[in-house]
Amino acid sequence: SQTIHQWPATLVQPVGSPLSLECTVEGTSNPNLYWYRQAAGRGLQLLFYSVGIGQISSEVPQNLSASRPQDRQFILSSKKLLLSDSGFYLCAWRTLGLSYEQYFGPGTRLTVT
Amino acid sequence: AQTVTQSQPEMSVQEAETVTLSCTYDTSESDYYLFWYKQPPSRQMILVIRQEAYKQQNATENRFSVNFQKAAKSFSLKISDSQLGDAAMYFCAYRSRFQGAQKLVFGQGTRLTINP
């Protein structure tokens, strides 16, 4: 069965520091991968998605970037964090085919101080 | 652009009773998918149920069922025999069936409380 991992689970970082969040998927090949952000008490907003290694599409221009160095690895990064980057970050995956739902990881709670 | 609206920020129900969560959406497309996700206190998003727009039959998953009204662009979730473990945030989501579309468009969520 498929499993999705995210780490770290919780992160507290000062403004201006770099960021690296990692997501890995097991049990599937060539998944579509997604990064979402959830602000407090809000719905999810898609930040980036990837349909293959090295292929990244950005939905919202911002202080963040994403990379996909391996088939089942998706990384969210920032060179300098802003206070507004605080939130709950969720990684999701989907396999190609008839199924259109996305499956989510456990998330990372980021607090920028 | 598609939008999803959940007009009930909070709902509560007595254990073992039935509750319905509302969702409306706006789209000009005729073919799409709709989903309900559950986000418990752990905050991991869990898929509850999905509905294909081309199917007239309402989807059902055990105690969870939907009332899909395509003309009205309404997609409500009914939870029967509510259990304490159903307490969570519930999000309605839309996804285009268009080949190039990728994202899920989420509503703002409804917080469901189960009273023992």
Side-chain angles (χ1 to χ4, degrees):
Chain A
S1 63
Q2 298 86 2
T3 307
I4 181 168
H5 303 279
Q6 285 187 247
W7 62 88
T10 305
L11 189 60
V12 180
Q13 292 282 93
V15 168
S17 64
L19 173 73
S20 181
L21 303 182
E22 188 166 343
C23 169
T24 59
V25 180
E26 296 178 355
T28 186
S29 297
N30 195 30
N32 285 4
L33 296 173
Y34 308 84
W35 278 113
Y36 287 86
R37 177 168 61 197
Q38 184 179 29
R42 305 290 297 274
L44 277 68
Q45 179 186 41
L46 180 65
L47 302 176
F48 301 95
Y49 68 89
S50 172
V51 299
I53 296 174
Q55 301 179 61
I56 307 296
S57 296
S58 173
E59 284 288 311
V60 182
Q62 57 205 317
N63 185 43
L64 302 170
S65 62
S67 62
R68 186 170 177 175
Q70 301 180 40
D71 180 46
R72 289 169 286 180
Q73 183 184 32
F74 204 23
I75 297 173
L76 184 69
S77 304
S78 175
K79 292 182 180 179
K80 290 186 178 182
L81 283 168
L82 306 172
L83 286 174
S84 58
D85 292 325
S86 292
F88 192 63
Y89 290 82
L90 287 148
C91 182
W93 68 272
R94 179 179 79 85
T95 53
L96 299 180
L98 297 178
S99 173
Y100 279 78
E101 58 261 31
Q102 296 175 12
Y103 297 94
F104 288 82
T108 295
R109 182 187 301 275
L110 172 65
T111 302
V112 182
T113 60
Chain B
Q2 297 88 9
T3 59
V4 177
T5 301
Q6 293 179 249
S7 58
Q8 305 155 317
E10 297 183 358
M11 291 280 287
S12 63
V13 63
Q14 290 295 125
E15 191 177 5
E17 296 292 309
T18 296
V19 63
T20 299
L21 308 183
S22 300
C23 172
T24 58
Y25 57 94
D26 186 28
T27 183
S28 59
E29 300 176 334
S30 60
D31 203 5
Y32 45 86
Y33 286 90
L34 296 166
F35 306 93
W36 279 98
Y37 281 88
K38 169 185 177 180
Q39 189 178 39
S42 67
R43 300 199 71 177
Q44 181 161 6
M45 297 288 281
I46 302 167
L47 178 67
V48 175
I49 200 166
R50 72 166 181 171
Q51 174 80 42
E52 292 92 338
Y54 62 87
K55 290 186 177 180
Q56 293 186 343
Q57 186 174 5
N58 289 325
T60 299
E61 288 288 342
N62 300 315
R63 297 182 295 109
F64 298 86
S65 61
V66 299
N67 183 6
F68 173 49
Q69 301 290 329
K70 191 173 183 179
K73 297 181 182 176
S74 171
F75 182 59
S76 61
L77 175 69
K78 186 173 79 170
I79 306 174
S80 303
D81 186 24
S82 298
Q83 300 175 1
L84 294 178
D86 295 332
M89 283 288 289
Y90 286 81
F91 291 93
C92 179
Y94 171 102
R95 191 199 188 282
S96 171
R97 197 179 169 92
F98 170 61
Q99 184 67 22
Q102 289 289 339
K103 67 179 178 183
L104 293 173
V105 179
F106 285 87
Q108 296 293 77
T110 296
R111 182 176 302 281
L112 178 63
T113 301
I114 311 296
N115 300 314

